[in-house]
Amino acid sequence: MNLGIAGRRALVCAASRGLGRACAEALAAEGVSLTIVARRSEALETAAAELRTRYGVEVQTVACDITTAEGRELALKACAKPDILVNNAGGPPPGDFRNWSREDWIAALDANMLAPIEMIKATIDPMMDNGFGRIVNITSAAVKAPIQALGLSNGARAGLTGFVAGLARQVVHRNVTINNLLPGPFETDRLHSNFEAAAERSGKSIEEVREERMKTNPAGRFGNPEEFGEACAFFCSVRAGYITGQNLVLDGGSYPGTL
Ligand code: NAD
């Protein structure tokens, strides 16, 4: 299938590794030029060089923290009018809600709710003027089925999801869509650090925690980031213009609901 987005420009946040990187890869494979953002410039430059070599597309880099106003300003200075925006940032830490202060909540809201909303606010009007725009937010399967230790994530991401549900219906008449991708367990550094934390809490080895988690997944495995990136590229394609305000769970069938 030709996704019809060759020559478009995408701004992909938190993209030096993991799921953001996989989205950047899948878009580059379709001939999309990229501006990729991550905090550490060394990892970012390595990712950019690999993307350029592999796909022959233009790749700009912006080393910044996308959850800060200064970071967003830098990213938007480099790519003021993207055709495609992929919102992503690291997730909040696990813990017990009794230990979370107001500051912990504000940090989670800043990273996983307000930062993507600010990025949407800054880019959506030019998309509407152009008659084409695709926005994908990387959230979490925890939006549909809360993960007990990740209360900060459950709460902050639910806020973003509610906002997007309303906005998506106000912009689709100009061929601008906004959808959310909800990852279950994918093989990334983030998943590995979650296993480390779970192993420490339970006294089990990381490998035991990993095996147990894998067994509980109906697919019997974790997701490959490439599978995630390809779903993102489809949502960003011209083919997906009639899909908006949706929450696609990618979890190997873990979510047990019929709908
Ligand atoms: P990861 O740790 O493997 O990669 C994160 C990437 O984001 C890196 O490139 C890092 O440099 C960049 N980054 C992080 N915070 C940033 C910031 N503030 N500004 C700019 N760049 C930043 O993580 P991942 O597994 O790819 O996860 C991506 C998102 O998906 C996270 O929010 C995570 O909580 C969520 N998620 C992941 C999984 C999973 O299984 N991997 C499951 C559910 C939800």
Side-chain angles (χ1 to χ4, degrees):
M1 191 191 301
N2 177 357
L3 298 189
I5 47 177
R8 296 282 184 187
R9 173 158 284 282
L11 174 52
V12 187
C13 303
S16 66
R17 55 195 167 89
L19 302 180
R21 164 75 181 266
C23 294
E25 293 262 353
L27 290 169
E30 294 300 318
V32 174
S33 307
L34 300 172
T35 301
I36 58 171
V37 176
R39 283 171 301 188
R40 286 185 304 118
S41 102
E42 204 183 314
L44 188 62
E45 291 309 330
T46 306
E50 287 170 6
L51 287 164
R52 286 185 202 109
T53 310
R54 211 167 288 161
Y55 306 104
V57 295
E58 188 198 323
V59 184
Q60 249 185 328
T61 56
V62 184
C64 68
D65 182 340
I66 202 68
T67 66
T68 66
E70 304 75 49
R72 288 190 291 277
E73 201 179 316
L74 286 173
L76 291 162
K77 205 170 150 196
C79 185
K81 294 182 181 180
D83 303 301
I84 293 165
L85 168 67
V86 179
N87 278 317
N88 185 30
D96 183 323
F97 81 95
R98 291 172 188 82
N99 301 326
W100 292 330
S101 64
R102 177 177 166 76
E103 285 66 39
D104 295 324
W105 274 107
I106 298 294
L109 291 170
D110 267 342
N112 299 108
M113 177 183 172
L114 300 176
I117 290 174
E118 288 294 336
M119 292 301 289
I120 293 170
K121 183 175 152 192
T123 54
I124 204 160
D125 287 337
M127 288 181 182
M128 291 179 75
D129 291 344
N130 287 342
F132 180 89
R134 297 285 183 266
I135 299 174
V136 171
N137 302 304
I138 299 180
T139 65
S140 171
V143 171
K144 271 194 92 155
I147 297 170
Q148 289 181 23
L150 292 177
L152 290 169
S153 171
N154 301 337
R157 296 188 200 273
L160 174 66
T161 306
F163 169 74
V164 160
L167 182 63
R169 274 82 187 180
Q170 297 168 51
V171 298
V172 67
H173 68 285
R174 296 292 306 147
N175 192 21
V176 175
T177 67
I178 317 179
N179 292 290
N180 305 313
L181 289 176
L182 283 58
F186 276 81
E187 296 271 10
T188 68
D189 294 350
R190 157 86 181 180
L191 189 68
H192 188 75
S193 58
N194 283 355
F195 290 156
E196 278 175 356
E200 212 175 292
R201 280 197 304 274
S202 64
K204 294 176 183 164
S205 72
I206 295 175
E207 206 37 54
E208 276 175 307
V209 171
R210 204 184 139 77
E211 284 296 316
E212 280 175 11
R213 279 286 300 280
M214 215 183 291
K215 274 193 204 138
T216 64
N217 190 292
R221 66 176 177 92
F222 301 129
N224 299 318
E226 302 82 59
E227 295 171 302
F228 190 89
E230 279 156 15
C232 175
F234 178 72
F235 266 163
C236 296
S237 75
V238 293
R239 311 281 164 225
Y242 205 53
I243 304 174
T244 200
Q246 298 305 301
N247 290 281
L248 180 66
V249 181
L250 296 94
D251 67 350
S254 281
Y255 180 73
T258 304
L259 291 177

